[in-house]
Amino acid sequence: MTTTALALAVAWPSEADGGVRPVMVEADGSGGDLMMRFGLPPTPSLLDVAAAVGKPHPGSLLGAVSELPFGVRAVAAVPGRGPCTEAVRLLANEGGRRVLLGGEGDRGTVLLDVGRLGSDVEPLLEAADQVVLVARGGAEPLTHVSAYGLKTEGYGGRLTLAVVGPCPYPADEVAESLAVEQVVFLPWDAKAVGVMNRRRAGRLRTTGFRVTPLMAAVCRLARQLADSREQTATETDAEMQRRLVPVAGDEGVPSWARH
């Protein structure tokens, strides 16, 4: 899951947010991997974001960002279940979600790596524009997806299953069996994964002739997610416009009021 989230951060369309790079957040209650993987300092981290949730002015998520060697901005979680479980619980409440969503003037996309599914992350999934469930392609891991009891109908088209590595089943069969509308395949790509696991600076191409198979597939997925979010926002704006009627202001200047 972490590798997929990092790849999405690399591949996220720059025009989707006016050139603002996304931020990947390790919101995994069982602890993070990025600190150990890249030798990051213990602070700033997910704990700093969670500690600020209850403050009147929690500040920007960007205050806890670390720059990874291949150009991704990330909020890392400390290793270990105890502190991260509490941090994710705080992020999942209303105040935490406000911090993740940012203020009115904030731009950019936040990509959450929530680890395993569970009741502690359900509020985060409910608030997300899009949800990507990552699983291996064999019969056993796909059966585990079914065993989670995920109520797919509650996602209303926001759920995508990303199947990593070889899969003996076609996408439509997987979608029908698991009641998931969208299924995509991501190839296992040792070269791209290697770049996302080493501490020295590297580059993952998203255009041109040297794009690795994983990044090519993730670029398509990122575009699909960004377009779906844009479409949802457009539909929401249209619905709000239908609910707005012009009324006369105090000085005869048109103002707006909800129906």
Side-chain angles (χ1 to χ4, degrees):
M1 176 60 190
T2 300
T3 299
T4 303
L6 291 172
L8 279 171
V10 174
W12 199 258
S14 59
E15 67 273 15
D17 298 307
V20 177
R21 287 187 296 156
V23 174
M24 183 273 211
V25 179
E26 265 193 312
D28 189 341
S30 63
D33 300 318
L34 298 182
M35 279 190 180
M36 296 294 291
R37 185 182 302 181
F38 298 109
L40 301 176
T43 185
S45 75
L46 183 73
L47 301 187
D48 297 286
V49 177
V53 165
K55 296 180 179 179
H57 304 287
S60 170
L61 186 67
L62 296 179
V65 159
S66 295
E67 189 80 25
L68 301 186
F70 47 95
V72 166
R73 301 192 297 180
V75 176
V78 299
R81 178 179 295 273
C84 288
T85 299
E86 178 62 15
V88 170
R89 186 190 68 80
L90 290 170
L91 283 179
N93 68 29
E94 185 178 349
R97 294 196 300 273
R98 279 201 302 269
V99 172
L100 293 173
L101 292 171
E104 258 185 54
D106 291 338
R107 301 185 66 181
T109 296
V110 176
L111 302 169
L112 296 180
D113 172 12
V114 300
R116 291 182 178 274
L117 295 177
S119 58
D120 54 334
V121 299
E122 282 182 1
L124 293 175
L125 300 182
E126 291 171 0
D129 291 323
Q130 296 289 320
V131 176
V132 179
L133 181 62
V134 182
R136 294 282 189 175
E140 185 176 334
L142 290 176
T143 301
H144 288 167
V145 172
S146 177
Y148 273 121
L150 193 66
K151 297 178 181 178
T152 56
E153 67 277 3
Y155 287 89
R158 295 184 299 123
L159 180 64
T160 298
L161 174 63
V163 180
V164 179
C167 181
Y169 314 107
D172 56 350
E173 185 176 330
V174 175
E176 183 178 357
S177 298
L178 300 179
V180 177
E181 291 184 15
Q182 303 173 78
V183 176
V184 299
F185 293 114
L186 303 180
W188 180 255
D189 184 340
K191 182 177 181 181
V193 172
V195 173
M196 288 185 278
N197 278 277
R198 61 182 180 229
R199 296 187 181 185
R200 66 178 184 272
R203 182 183 177 190
L204 287 166
R205 292 179 177 272
T206 56
T207 58
F209 295 106
R210 296 185 180 180
V211 179
T212 67
L214 173 61
M215 292 311 300
V218 171
C219 282
R220 291 191 293 270
L221 174 58
R223 168 58 63 189
Q224 173 187 317
L225 296 173
D227 288 348
S228 295
R229 184 187 63 178
E230 184 67 27
Q231 181 180 352
T232 300
T234 301
E235 291 172 353
T236 301
D237 289 344
E239 177 61 24
M240 288 299 295
Q241 288 297 324
R242 284 194 291 270
R243 295 171 57 196
L244 296 173
V245 295
V247 298
D250 292 339
E251 299 177 358
V253 179
S255 61
W256 294 92
R258 281 192 175 88
H259 215 356

